[in-house]
Amino acid sequence: MKKFFRWTFIILLIAGVIGTFVILWQRQQPKPVQYEVLTVERGSLEKRTIVTGKVEPRDEVAVKAQIQGIIAELYKEPGQPVSKGEAIATIRVVPDMQSLSSAESRVRLAEVNLRNVRHVFERDSILYTQKVISLEEYDKSELQYAQAIEELQISRDNLSIVKEGVTAATKESGNTIVRSSISGTILEIPVKVGNSVQSVGAFSEGTTIATVADMSDMLFVGKMDETEVGKLREGMPMDLIIGALNDQRFTATLEYIAPKGTESNGAMMFEIRAAARIPDSVQIRAGYSANAEIVLAARHDVLTLAEAAVHITMDSTFVELVNDSAAQFVTTRLVTTGMSDGIRIEITSGLAEGDRVRGNEIAEQPLAKMPGK
């Protein structure tokens, strides 16, 4: 019995050793590589580019002061609508003392001159009635009287302009009332009541009272690299994606391509503008960041294949045509290609619809770990 157990143990030991060697040998043997099998399909390709920019109103106007003074009243706030010609603010003029003194002196002199001319005219009227002076002398006296009246009115208007910036006749249309030059929305009012403002002049740009824009007519403004701007043409459609509106998409039409570029980080960039079609129901704000997707080229109803399956050497382009189900045996096939969208490429010759082509190697998936290990 002991001899039987001893031989049994020896046999089991030998079997275990042999089994271990077999397992180790099998693990060391190279495993066949698995590949993707891709099919030539008929479809459409689009080559797109993305331009980063922002959405701005087409018409944005800075309403500036036309007279020097102090902001007396503001009638509007940012975000409110405004009509063309509607008052935005009132400016109170701070008169220059020298100019004020000169204007007051001119009024006094005009009053003195009018009194004198009136006295002469009244006297000449009596003399003309008595046939003492001629009609010519009377007409001359009447003309001088009318001129004196006009001179007094002019001097009084000049004094009013120096003191208040307007005359009595132009109070509602004078420069002291700042009015919007277009209809739209108030984007910004950078001044406050009590702020001093400068008028537009040869040596001054003038103080901006408000910025007004027509928010119903928006543009996408961006910059494109010189390597792609040559593929653009006016009238091309594009899709706008506005991140601030939860990546909503809108359509736009390219209107402008800058004839001159500007250098940025060593590259020449060209400004582009596109008319955005945004529904009235969507509230848009000036300056929203946006991306524009532009279709540079498109192919429809063509043979396509995953670009990863196409191999390019110095003088040829080829694919590996699959001959078996495991994609272990292939035939090299020369092909010609067309447009690529970065994922799939157009096959213009060398393959037919439904042909099977070897793609990339399939990576071996690691064994999942047992829970708790």
Side-chain angles (χ1 to χ4, degrees):
M1 182 64 68
K2 292 182 180 180
K3 187 176 180 180
F4 171 78
F5 284 114
R6 183 171 65 250
W7 281 105
T8 301
F9 174 76
I10 292 173
I11 292 171
L12 291 176
L13 180 61
I14 293 173
V17 172
I18 294 174
T20 301
F21 277 105
V22 170
I23 293 174
L24 292 175
W25 178 81
Q26 289 178 342
R27 288 185 177 181
Q28 291 175 354
Q29 297 305 303
K31 294 183 179 180
V33 180
Q34 298 296 318
Y35 295 94
E36 293 179 308
V37 177
L38 306 171
T39 304
V40 179
E41 299 174 347
R42 187 168 294 277
S44 299
L45 296 176
E46 287 185 344
K47 186 174 183 180
R48 292 175 172 255
T49 188
I50 297 179
V51 183
T52 301
K54 57 184 177 180
V55 178
E56 297 179 351
R58 183 189 300 274
D59 297 320
E60 183 174 329
V61 177
V63 181
K64 295 182 177 289
Q66 300 298 316
I67 195 169
Q68 183 173 333
I70 294 174
I71 298 294
E73 290 184 82
L74 289 172
Y75 307 116
K76 292 290 183 178
E77 294 182 356
Q80 291 184 331
V82 65
S83 301
K84 182 178 180 179
E86 189 175 355
I88 298 175
T90 297
I91 299 175
R92 177 170 57 85
V93 176
V94 179
D96 176 72
M97 297 308 297
Q98 183 176 355
S99 300
L100 179 61
S101 176
S102 176
E104 290 175 340
S105 176
R106 181 180 174 183
V107 171
R108 289 192 296 268
L109 290 174
E111 290 173 342
V112 171
N113 181 60
L114 178 60
R115 285 195 298 269
N116 180 58
V117 173
R118 182 188 295 114
H119 175 72
V120 173
F121 175 68
E122 291 173 351
R123 183 192 63 189
D124 288 347
S125 296
I126 296 173
L127 293 176
Y128 175 71
T129 303
Q130 296 175 352
K131 307 295 183 180
V132 176
I133 61 174
S134 66
L135 177 61
E136 182 181 358
E137 290 177 316
Y138 173 76
D139 288 343
K140 182 178 180 180
S141 179
E142 185 180 29
L143 176 61
Q144 291 175 343
Y145 179 55
Q147 289 175 338
I149 294 175
E150 184 65 21
E151 174 61 27
L152 178 60
Q153 184 60 46
I154 291 174
S155 62
R156 285 174 175 171
D157 287 346
N158 181 64
L159 176 61
S160 178
I161 290 173
V162 172
K163 292 177 66 176
E164 302 177 6
V166 293
T167 65
T170 61
K171 187 173 183 180
E172 293 301 320
S173 59
N175 292 337
T176 55
I177 300 178
V178 181
R179 301 180 184 276
S180 176
S181 55
I182 64 170
S183 296
T185 302
I186 302 288
L187 299 184
E188 182 184 18
I189 297 182
V191 296
K192 296 180 179 180
V193 173
N195 286 164
S196 298
V197 296
Q198 298 292 325
S199 62
V200 176
F203 303 101
S204 173
E205 294 183 355
T207 303
T208 298
I209 306 300
T211 303
V212 183
D214 181 5
M215 300 298 289
S216 64
D217 188 5
M218 304 297 289
L219 290 175
F220 168 79
V221 181
K223 289 189 175 182
M224 179 171 260
D225 187 87
E226 61 182 329
T227 58
E228 294 185 323
V229 73
K231 303 172 185 177
L232 301 182
R233 65 182 185 280
E234 293 181 1
M236 291 182 69
M238 61 176 66
D239 293 331
L240 293 184
I241 302 97
I242 301 178
L245 300 179
N246 297 320
D247 290 332
Q248 287 191 53
R249 286 179 172 263
F250 307 95
T251 57
T253 304
L254 186 61
E255 287 188 345
Y256 171 80
I257 306 169
K260 181 180 180 181
T262 56
E263 187 172 351
S264 177
N265 297 324
M268 292 300 293
M269 306 297 290
F270 292 80
E271 182 179 271
I272 64 171
R273 300 175 196 162
R277 289 183 287 277
I278 299 175
D280 295 336
S281 59
V282 177
Q283 184 180 13
I284 199 76
R285 301 181 187 276
Y288 270 164
S289 297
N291 291 328
E293 288 187 359
I294 308 174
V295 178
L296 299 178
R299 298 287 188 275
H300 302 290
D301 194 27
V302 295
L303 294 179
T304 67
L305 179 65
E307 190 168 358
V310 178
H311 307 283
I312 301 175
T313 62
M314 294 293 293
D315 57 353
S316 62
T317 302
F318 64 93
V319 298
E320 295 176 333
L321 203 61
V322 173
N323 296 330
D324 65 323
S325 59
Q328 299 299 313
F329 300 98
V330 296
T331 301
T332 300
R333 175 74 61 85
L334 293 177
V335 296
T336 55
T337 59
M339 194 190 80
S340 169
D341 64 2
I343 299 176
R344 300 187 69 82
I345 192 169
E346 178 187 4
I347 304 297
T348 58
S349 67
L351 292 175
E353 184 177 359
D355 283 348
R356 299 167 65 245
V357 175
R358 187 159 77 176
N360 292 327
E361 180 181 341
I362 300 176
E364 184 178 356
Q365 298 296 325
L367 294 175
K369 291 184 178 181
M370 295 296 291
K373 296 292 184 179

